[in-house]
Amino acid sequence: MNYQFDFKDKVVIVTGAGSGIGRSIALAFATFGANVVLMSRNESKLNETATLVRAAGGEATVVPVDLSIFENIEKAVARVKEHYSRIDILINNSGVTRRKPSLEVTEEDWHFVTDLNQKTCFFMCQAVGREMIQQRQGKIVNVASIGGLLAIEESAPYSSSKGGVVQITRVLACEWAKYNVQVNAVAPGYIQTDLIKKAIENKQFHDRIIARTPSKRLGEAEEVVGGVLYLSSHLANYVTGHILMIDGGLSAYGV
């Protein structure tokens, strides 16, 4: 058994790859020799990531795309298949949030968050899953959140959408295991990225999170990478339908 990560020549799609967790994941795969397909709406940020990926020794393909629009998903996946002829790994990392009290959430807020977080996750899995089922192998890792498993105040659309990601992961794992396609998720806690920057600027909120986190700090984007690499590797061939919490112990905190 080879106990090292080896993604040489593997074709890996990373959504939300322009910054934060997505960028860190893309760089990690590049370090281990993968061909990384970078997707998000921000082309300039994707190009920054691509430069870093190539410097790390990987091959980068930039696909600027708004994945919240259904038609764009099929086109983007077809472009990857046409270029590489296969897709080995999908990392569904795209995510947004809008924090506000539930009584103030508008329909537009709801669709903005759930379309990118939940709808995109499912239909990316569906489009890539078709290719993986034909190949009779593949790895999908969805980036969920502790918000999909625990209640976070003033985050009803976000928590609902990430809860949906958790259930999408479990359902597809059950359906596709027979095709040798493993579907798992990581559920990060409070990671220092632009997604939570505004929230943690509130000292009361920040201090409350730290008080309930056994590690007594926020996480870094790079600290999510190890779990993603493991679930994407041959070492996790018997792991499917699993939700890996990466949260400094926050989800284990007692009352």
Side-chain angles (χ1 to χ4, degrees):
M1 169 71 80
N2 177 9
Y3 293 106
Q4 296 180 337
F5 292 140
D6 181 6
F7 297 105
K8 184 174 175 53
D9 297 327
K10 296 288 187 182
V11 179
V12 183
I13 295 176
V14 182
T15 71
S19 61
I21 292 172
R23 177 174 286 182
S24 293
I25 291 170
L27 288 174
F29 276 113
T31 300
F32 290 103
N35 300 319
V36 188
V37 180
L38 310 170
M39 294 187 182
S40 89
R41 292 174 290 188
N42 191 322
E43 185 171 3
S44 63
K45 289 288 188 181
L46 286 182
N47 285 330
E48 290 175 9
T49 302
T51 298
L52 295 171
V53 164
R54 291 163 187 149
E59 178 180 325
T61 300
V62 172
V63 181
V65 58
D66 182 352
L67 293 172
S68 66
I69 299 173
F70 174 76
E71 292 79 9
N72 291 349
I73 292 174
E74 294 286 346
K75 292 176 183 177
V77 172
R79 178 177 168 183
V80 177
K81 182 67 185 306
E82 181 180 0
H83 183 72
Y84 285 109
S85 79
R86 72 181 197 282
I87 301 169
D88 299 299
I89 299 164
L90 168 64
I91 311 299
N92 267 318
N93 171 68
S94 296
V96 294
T97 189
R98 283 184 180 174
R99 288 184 57 83
K100 59 173 61 176
S102 293
L103 291 178
E104 298 177 13
V105 172
T106 66
E107 183 180 17
E108 193 273 332
D109 290 330
W110 186 271
H111 285 297
F112 174 76
V113 174
T114 60
D115 279 3
L116 190 62
N117 292 1
Q118 184 175 352
K119 186 178 84 172
T120 291
C121 175
F122 176 77
F123 286 108
M124 278 296 293
C125 285
Q126 183 188 71
V128 174
R130 288 194 185 102
E131 304 300 330
M132 291 180 171
I133 287 169
Q134 287 187 340
Q135 296 166 179
R136 288 299 192 270
Q137 64 177 1
K139 304 277 188 181
I140 297 175
V141 181
N142 298 320
V143 179
S145 166
I146 59 164
L149 296 160
L150 306 175
I152 299 177
E153 294 178 37
E154 300 188 350
S155 297
Y158 180 79
S159 291
S160 298
S161 66
K162 290 300 187 176
V165 170
V166 168
Q167 289 304 95
I168 288 167
T169 300
R170 289 170 171 159
V171 170
L172 297 184
C174 292
E175 291 187 18
W176 296 350
K178 61 188 174 185
Y179 303 113
N180 192 30
V181 176
Q182 290 82 47
V183 187
N184 293 287
V186 294
Y190 288 91
I191 308 298
Q192 297 193 77
T193 65
D194 290 342
L195 191 67
I196 69 161
K197 183 177 180 180
K198 185 175 180 180
I200 62 175
E201 286 175 352
N202 181 316
K203 187 176 185 305
Q204 183 179 6
F205 179 82
H206 174 273
D207 291 349
R208 184 175 64 184
I209 295 304
I210 297 301
R212 293 185 63 85
T213 302
S215 295
K216 298 305 176 190
R217 65 177 177 86
L218 302 176
E220 301 289 342
E222 293 79 7
E223 293 176 306
V224 179
V225 168
V228 173
L229 292 178
Y230 164 66
L231 292 172
S232 303
S233 76
H234 68 284
L235 298 173
N237 284 348
Y238 198 55
V239 180
T240 197
H242 182 68
I243 315 300
L244 176 60
M245 309 294 279
I246 304 175
D247 64 358
L250 178 59
S251 56
Y253 190 84
V255 177

